[in-house]
Amino acid sequence: MSPFAWPLWLMLLAIVAGAARNASRGPALGYVFSFLVAFLLLHLYGTAVAATLLRHAGAASLALALVLALEGIYLLGVENLWSRLRRKGALEQPATDWLAGILIGLGAPFAMPSLGGSAALASAAALGNAGDVPEALLVAALVGIGVVIVLLVVGHVANLIASRLPSGPWPRRVAGIAMFLVAVALALGWVG
């Protein structure tokens, strides 16, 4: 994975830090595996699905920026419509859940389509455009699985560190700031 994929790692770290103590693995796993599904669909070269998704990648990237900004504001504790939809009880602390992890994971491949595997993905595109869709899918799947393995390791280490941090609102607030910063970077076109 390329160092240009830092927003992908930062989103995962923010999801882990923003999750509730008893549910920190659920949002991160939802993020990682929904990322893989969206990545494979986006890179299913030689099919109408990939062509349609690639045509709308800019809009999906902006939608991801919106979700990240709303989730970041929610984690900062600012009351808004998103926080009212997300919070179950009035006294409940804001926390990232599996739904937010899945939504962010589904949008991440649109914001960072190549992830440093551009040579492999170019080969997959050439195979798919030549009519070898299964081989193109295999190459894209290998790139996607490589990214997922790195994300699972980063998420596991982040979860171990987060479990050792003292309980309080600060990890969630830092996660909210991180999500908001990635949202701004996406909206301004600095990422992707």
Side-chain angles (χ1 to χ4, degrees), residues 122-149:
S123 298
L127 286 169
N129 293 334
D132 267 337
V133 175
E135 289 181 21
L137 179 61
L138 177 64
V139 172
L142 291 174
V143 171
I145 290 170
V147 171
V148 164
I149 289 171

Side-chain angles (χ1 to χ4, degrees), residues 20-39:
R21 283 274 191 221
N22 55 356
S24 59
R25 291 194 195 280
L29 290 175
Y31 168 75
V32 169
F33 290 114
S34 63
F35 169 84
L36 180 62
V37 168
F39 184 83

Side-chain angles (χ1 to χ4, degrees), residues 96-111:
T96 300
D97 63 357
W98 61 270
L99 178 63
I102 288 174
L103 289 175
I104 294 169
L106 287 174
F110 293 97

Side-chain angles (χ1 to χ4, degrees), residues 10-11 23 26 55 63 68 75 77-78 83 99 105 112 125 138 157 162 190:
L10 187 57
M11 286 186 286
R55 220 176 14 254
L68 283 169
L75 288 176
V78 177
S83 66
L99 178 63
M112 292 150 286
L138 177 64
V157 170
W190 295 345

